[in-house]
Amino acid sequence: MGRVVLVTGVARRLGGRFVRRVQREPGVERVIGVDAVPPGQHLGGADFVRADIRHPAIARVLTEHAVDTVVHLDVNGTPLGKRGSRTAVKETNVIGTMQLLGACQKTPSVKRLVVRSSTGVYGSAPRDPAVFTETTPPKSLPGGGFAKDAVEVEGYVRGFARRRPDVAVCVLRLAHLLGPAADSPLAEYFSLPVLPTVLGFDPRLQFLHEDDAVEVLRIAAGEPARGTWGSGTFNIAGDGVVLLSQAARRLGRPTLPFFLPSVTWAGSALRALGMLDFSPEQVRLLTHGRVVDTTQMRETLGFHPRYTSAGAFADFTRSRGTGLLPPHSLARTVDRIAAAVPAGRGLN
């Protein structure tokens, strides 16, 4: 781990947690948290610098503090605290990343860069492969939203890596984060009393627990444990998959199937009313799903998640309370119905 670590996006939960965690790493002398707004959480002994990464002033922060490790977490899908607009979020994701990379390029002390990305870069389409590896091209590139931002961000990062080959660059494509304090459009969707679904589809989903996200960031920001990696792009997700129908049963929430055009229209209406960020990319995810291969995460990066996808979802479920159809009650009802049906009936 470098001596001076700069972390962007510390006003959000993941950034704040990572800042507190990295301070305990051997060799770290100073941690600098950067965000455009003051964090609502304690950052431990880290120094907070209020700065907007969309502005060139971020270069001065890197130079003045002789930063050697940059962890860029200010790449997000929604405004902080539901404030702001989609335009502001896109500017921070794309323009902010461009400014930050430009500042890193001009700062000789920077030797390691870690960038948060998303498995959303693969998109969700009917002709997708069963599993995406890091080198699998998407069948249909994301047309907008956070996924498109992530594609653009990764493009700028690749350009930076070519210009500064002396910097170790690690891009982490995180699956959807879940956990007790998850705050994302997908977490909001799973918190609805009734889950709208697309008729005829039961997508496969992967999740990453918040605790595992902090740990993989720690590993990526440190020096290679075995000298086997220094740079690369990695899919990060818990083992296994969870079907949307399984997720609904485990939450105890009934589903309400709609034809795809109706779900798309309803999503647009909910977004317009500010009730739920049910974006087109999320509709596609809940139609076709997405699964990524995590072999490189384990064999090259050396990270082994503590939680499976099902385990991360279970921890999230416990924090959300009982739904309209508590799973244990639903199971008992199914058992009673099965017991009431005569054995062998319907086999002729």
Side-chain angles (χ1 to χ4, degrees):
M1 188 74 68
R3 294 188 309 105
V4 183
V5 181
L6 182 141
V7 184
T8 67
V10 298
R12 293 178 185 262
R13 177 175 171 80
L14 179 61
R17 286 194 61 186
F18 176 69
V19 163
R20 294 192 295 273
R21 174 64 185 86
V22 78
Q23 291 173 61
R24 304 198 302 268
E25 284 298 291
V28 174
E29 298 177 4
R30 191 176 188 185
V31 179
I32 302 165
V34 174
D35 212 311
V37 297
Q41 54 193 323
H42 184 53
L43 298 182
D47 297 323
F48 173 68
V49 176
R50 186 168 184 173
D52 192 329
I53 62 172
R54 293 175 294 180
H55 300 153
I58 188 65
R60 187 170 64 251
V61 178
L62 292 173
T63 303
E64 288 181 355
H65 299 285
V67 172
D68 52 37
T69 301
V70 176
V71 181
H72 181 32
L73 302 183
D74 207 357
V75 182
N76 299 281
T78 56
L80 179 63
K82 306 298 183 293
R83 298 187 298 273
S85 64
R86 165 62 196 156
T87 300
V89 172
K90 180 177 179 60
E91 287 180 356
T92 299
N93 290 344
V94 179
I95 304 302
T97 298
M98 289 176 61
Q99 288 285 3
L100 179 66
L101 294 177
C104 290
Q105 182 178 339
K106 299 173 184 177
T107 308
S109 61
V110 173
K111 297 302 179 185
R112 180 168 294 277
L113 171 67
V114 178
V115 179
R116 174 189 181 177
S117 186
S118 165
T119 56
V121 298
Y122 299 112
S124 294
R127 296 177 58 247
D128 280 348
V131 180
F132 284 100
T133 68
E134 286 84 351
T135 58
T136 306
K139 294 292 184 181
S140 177
L141 283 171
F146 174 56
K148 186 173 186 294
D149 292 354
V151 171
E152 294 184 35
V153 164
E154 288 196 13
Y156 293 128
V157 171
R158 286 192 293 272
F160 168 81
R162 289 192 295 269
R163 294 188 295 271
R164 283 289 305 270
D166 59 310
V167 176
V169 179
C170 185
V171 176
L172 302 179
R173 292 174 175 169
L174 306 184
H176 292 278
L177 295 183
L178 282 185
D183 181 18
S184 67
L186 195 61
E188 289 182 352
Y189 166 79
F190 283 128
S191 298
L192 293 172
V194 178
L195 304 182
T197 61
V198 180
L199 185 66
F201 293 88
D202 193 11
R204 299 175 302 154
L205 305 172
Q206 283 178 311
F207 306 111
L208 178 68
H209 196 279
E210 297 167 316
D211 293 350
D212 285 328
V214 173
E215 180 62 14
V216 74
L217 286 167
R218 183 195 67 79
I219 292 174
E223 295 297 327
R226 300 180 300 274
T228 57
W229 71 276
S231 303
T233 298
F234 301 94
N235 293 330
I236 310 295
D239 284 349
V241 300
V242 177
L243 296 176
L244 181 56
S245 59
Q246 294 174 327
R249 288 196 298 271
R250 293 171 188 179
L251 282 166
R253 285 170 169 76
T255 58
L256 187 59
F258 291 95
F259 288 107
L260 180 56
S262 300
V263 176
T264 303
W265 177 86
S268 299
L270 289 172
R271 294 186 75 196
L273 294 172
M275 297 174 61
L276 181 66
D277 188 11
F278 207 55
S279 64
E281 63 179 299
Q282 185 161 311
V283 173
R284 288 190 289 271
L285 174 70
L286 297 176
T287 304
H288 306 295
R290 184 189 309 120
V291 178
V292 299
D293 178 81
T294 57
T295 301
Q296 294 304 311
M297 173 190 78
R298 296 174 177 280
E299 296 183 357
T300 305
L301 189 59
F303 173 62
H304 300 267
R306 176 184 171 193
Y307 291 85
T308 62
S309 287
F313 190 81
D315 203 29
F316 167 78
T317 301
R318 285 190 288 271
S319 70
R320 287 305 189 266
T322 304
L324 297 175
L325 300 173
H328 59 279
S329 300
L330 183 61
R332 286 201 302 268
T333 301
V334 171
D335 290 342
R336 292 194 190 102
I337 293 174
V341 176
R345 183 169 180 172
L347 298 180
N348 297 328

